[in-house]
Amino acid sequence: MPKTKKELYNIYYLKEELVKICKEHNLPTSGYKEDLLQYISDFIENKPVNKITKKKKSNNNFEPAIEKIIDENYSNSEIHRTFFKKVISEKFKYNVPFCKWMYENKGVKTYQDAINTYNKILLDKKSGKKFEIGKQFKYNQYTRDFFNNNPKLSMTDCIKCWNYKKKQTGNHKYEKTDLIALEK
């Protein structure tokens, strides 16, 4: 268990490790990694630990249709997955840029706009456009940076370097010095 908030945020934890720490100290164990970090941080600083609740309104009667405005209570549900598979392709998969666009445009844009956006995102990916990686996806960002700097190295090399890096305190961004892990 880290002793300070700074120490907590300077170490890379898997979600399972954070859940284990929360269980050991009778803290809430559900939510995103950021939620778990907040619980532990509050505990370390002797602040009240309040469970973060996400209000989710259910609308089981809602049926998406191309001409409809995206539901205000939109979520990446099975209803929506089925709809997008039917109107886009059986190969439809949620991706971060699309999910972000959906949440930013619910209650404003139509499902046809969403379909157009999804198809544009796929075209952009095929043409090599790089999308912003969310701060919570440190491994994904590390992998992208690793291969931008080392295009001839393998995924195995990347994983060795990542496993080395995540054990270090401080930032967990790729640095050339991480290649020391390949010498071991």
Side-chain angles (χ1 to χ4, degrees):
M1 170 74 160
K3 294 181 180 14
T4 66
K5 183 177 178 176
K6 183 178 181 185
E7 184 180 327
L8 173 68
Y9 284 95
N10 272 335
I11 298 171
Y12 179 84
Y13 291 96
L14 295 172
K15 183 175 180 183
E16 300 82 50
E17 294 169 320
L18 295 172
V19 168
K20 184 179 176 189
I21 292 170
C22 287
K23 281 181 180 177
E24 289 171 358
H25 297 282
N26 295 317
L27 302 171
T29 58
S30 62
Y32 298 109
K33 278 179 73 171
E34 290 78 21
D35 299 335
L36 301 174
L37 286 165
Q38 185 64 53
Y39 301 146
I40 297 167
S41 173
D42 288 346
F43 178 78
I44 289 170
E45 295 183 328
N46 292 317
K47 292 181 181 176
V49 177
N50 298 312
K51 185 172 184 194
I52 298 167
T53 55
K54 312 269 190 237
K55 291 186 179 181
K56 196 170 188 180
K57 298 176 187 172
S58 175
N59 187 353
N60 294 334
N61 299 328
F62 181 79
E63 277 295 319
I66 289 174
E67 70 281 354
K68 284 187 178 179
I69 299 288
I70 300 166
D71 184 39
E72 285 280 345
N73 300 315
Y74 173 83
S75 66
N76 298 330
S77 66
E78 206 48 47
I79 290 170
H80 285 98
R81 181 187 310 277
T82 302
F83 169 75
F84 288 125
K85 281 187 167 202
K86 181 178 163 188
V87 298
I88 295 174
S89 160
E90 272 300 313
K91 294 181 180 180
F92 170 82
K93 289 184 181 177
Y94 286 115
N95 58 53
V96 173
F98 180 69
C99 292
K100 183 178 177 190
W101 186 92
M102 290 297 290
Y103 279 99
E104 289 171 352
N105 291 285
K106 59 185 179 180
V108 179
K109 302 276 187 167
T110 66
Y111 282 94
Q112 182 62 60
D113 295 325
I115 293 163
N116 296 342
T117 298
Y118 182 82
N119 289 327
K120 183 179 180 328
I121 289 168
L122 291 185
L123 286 173
D124 288 346
K125 280 187 174 184
K126 282 183 182 177
S127 70
K129 180 178 180 184
K130 301 282 185 188
F131 291 91
E132 180 182 332
I133 296 175
K135 66 179 180 164
Q136 71 274 32
F137 301 111
K138 291 179 181 180
Y139 172 74
N140 300 56
Q141 186 65 57
Y142 186 92
T143 301
R144 178 185 284 178
D145 295 343
F146 178 89
F147 284 113
N148 283 343
N149 286 278
N150 306 289
K152 294 182 179 176
L153 293 181
S154 70
M155 190 62 178
T156 302
D157 294 331
C158 179
I159 292 169
K160 283 180 186 174
C161 290
W162 169 248
N163 286 335
Y164 163 79
K165 185 64 161 199
K166 73 180 184 181
K167 292 176 185 168
Q168 309 303 310
T169 58
N171 85 64
H172 296 98
K173 295 179 179 179
Y174 172 76
E175 296 172 314
K176 198 79 167 158
T177 55
D178 297 345
L179 296 175
I180 194 169
L182 301 178
E183 297 172 8
K184 296 179 179 186

